[in-house]
């Protein structure tokens, strides 16, 4: 790739002196990045053999602000550009796909970095002795933690990549890789808006963190995937309805036994789902969201397709008569995990009339 002529405001000769910055902040930046500032954006793009236009697209996709032509980039920035451009030149990724890789990585790691600083490093960098400043503690702490956190991040990423690749390989055809039949669920805290007016900010933050942590642990433990958290709501998915049903009921049961938690409601649907950049989209997702909004407190509502899937796989009976017969033949046991009760039909905005089913645990 060749470097385009820069626009007037991106002149390679325009190298303004950097603003006065905290010397410790610069030292920590250099420690984390592994090299010192050497390049303006134009110089970095030229060294990587990438056009300034494409370099800007990559940087913005990664979530980095425009910096004009300040000398703020390092060898690591050049190497990252060279690698992305190399994948495009080798035909392994299209340019659009390379930008998507940059965007998904940037968005994910930005949230991770913010979380680690807010919830982890801030607490650890409280001065251990009177008279010490936080800045005197931060550098040696980062120096010790950096290699350990980096190795752990790569380990978790590899495990997640292996799991995601396995799901793709097991897909029946190419279309199923993108448009798949999944069970999708939302879990929503009831009365969260009222809580925001009543609780102090710190209390509210602790409640949200406890909810998200509990939900994430339950979803993972039972074989689901946490798609995202939205403060008072979590979105999860599972490959089959039985797994999702267990997760939904476990969430209700766990939160009910926690007196500090508000009531919870869960809505789930089963059907074709489009997956993009770790998120899920489509009518099935919209239906699960609508079911959540109309679910009774501390209850799980599912759509007809979800109920049919549980019946098809033998997780729930088609009728109470069938359940009674199966239990009699099984000498009083409960051969079904779940019970389904049809609820009132009602119109749902944008989705027409739906008939929700109340999902409970059998026996």
């Amino acid at each position: 790739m060749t470097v385009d002529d820069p626009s007037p405001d991106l002149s390679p000769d325009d190298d303004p002196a950097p603003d006065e910055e905290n010397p410790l902040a610069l030292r920590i930046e250099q420690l984390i990045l592994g090299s010192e500032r050497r390049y303006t954006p134009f110089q970095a793009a030229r060294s990587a053999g990438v056009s300034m236009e494409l370099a800007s697209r990559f940087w913005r996709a990664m979530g980095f602000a425009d910096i004009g032509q300040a000398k703020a980039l390092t060898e690591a920035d050049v190497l990252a550009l060279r690698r992305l451009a190399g994948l495009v030149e080798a035909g392994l990724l299209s340019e659009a796909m390379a930008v998507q890789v940059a965007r998904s990585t940037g968005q994910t790691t930005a949230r991770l970095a913010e979380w680690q600083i807010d919830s982890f490093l801030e607490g650890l960098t409280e001065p251990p002795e009177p008279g010490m400043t936080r800045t005197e503690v931060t550098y040696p702490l980062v120096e010790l933690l950096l290699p350990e956190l980096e190795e752990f991040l790569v380990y978790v990423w590899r495990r997640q990549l292996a799991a995601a690749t396995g799901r793709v390989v097991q897909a029946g055809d190419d279309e199923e890789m993108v448009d798949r039949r999944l069970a999708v669920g939302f879990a929503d805290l009831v009365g969260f808006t009222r809580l925001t007016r009543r609780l102090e900010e710190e209390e509210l933050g602790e409640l949200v963190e406890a909810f998200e942590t509990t939900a994430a642990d339950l979803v993972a433990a039972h074989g689901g995937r946490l798609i995202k958290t939205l403060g008072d709501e979590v979105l999860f998915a599972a490959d089959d309805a039985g797994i999702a049903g267990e997760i939904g009921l476990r969430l209700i049961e766990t939160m009910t036994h926690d007196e500090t938690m508000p009531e919870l409601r869960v809505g789930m649907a089963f059907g074709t789902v489009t997956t993009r950049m770790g998120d899920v989209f489509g009518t099935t997702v919209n239906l699960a969201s609508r079911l959540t909004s109309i679910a009774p407190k501390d209850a799980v509502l599912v759509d007809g397709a979800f109920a049919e899937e549980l019946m098809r796989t033998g997780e729930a009976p088609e009728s109470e008569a069938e359940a009674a017969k199966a239990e009699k033949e099984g000498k009083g046991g409960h051969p079904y995990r779940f019970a389904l009760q049809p609820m009132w039909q009602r119109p749902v905005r944008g989705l027409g009339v739906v008939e929700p089913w109340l999902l409970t645990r059998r026996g």
Side-chain angles (χ1 to χ4, degrees), residues 57-124:
R57 288 185 66 198
F58 283 151
W59 283 322
R60 288 168 184 165
M62 286 184 274
F64 304 146
D66 293 340
I67 58 171
Q69 283 304 307
K71 187 174 286 188
L73 304 180
T74 71
E75 288 290 350
D77 296 296
V78 172
L79 181 59
L81 284 178
R82 193 175 293 148
R83 280 176 171 161
L84 279 174
L87 291 172
V88 175
E89 288 184 341
L92 296 173
L93 294 178
S94 67
E95 187 173 305
M97 289 173 64
V99 171
Q100 278 195 351
V101 168
R103 179 168 288 110
S104 62
T105 306
Q107 290 179 357
T108 303
T109 53
R111 185 179 180 190
L112 174 63
E114 290 288 346
W115 185 92
Q116 289 177 331
I117 292 300
D118 291 344
S119 304
F120 185 43
L121 289 180
E122 271 197 15
L124 288 179

Side-chain angles (χ1 to χ4, degrees), residues 31-53:
L31 171 66
I32 294 173
L33 297 180
S35 55
E36 62 184 9
R37 299 178 177 185
R38 292 185 54 189
Y39 302 100
T40 66
F42 179 81
Q43 292 167 341
R46 181 174 57 190
S47 296
V50 178
S51 72
M52 190 64 220
E53 180 185 1

Side-chain angles (χ1 to χ4, degrees), residues 163-179:
T165 303
R167 290 193 292 270
V168 169
V169 170
Q170 292 173 19
D173 51 46
D174 290 343
E175 289 186 5
E176 193 179 341
M177 293 183 186
V178 177
D179 297 317

Side-chain angles (χ1 to χ4, degrees), residues 221-232:
H222 294 282
R225 297 188 296 285
L226 187 70
I227 304 300
K228 58 186 173 184
T229 60
L230 304 168
D232 62 332

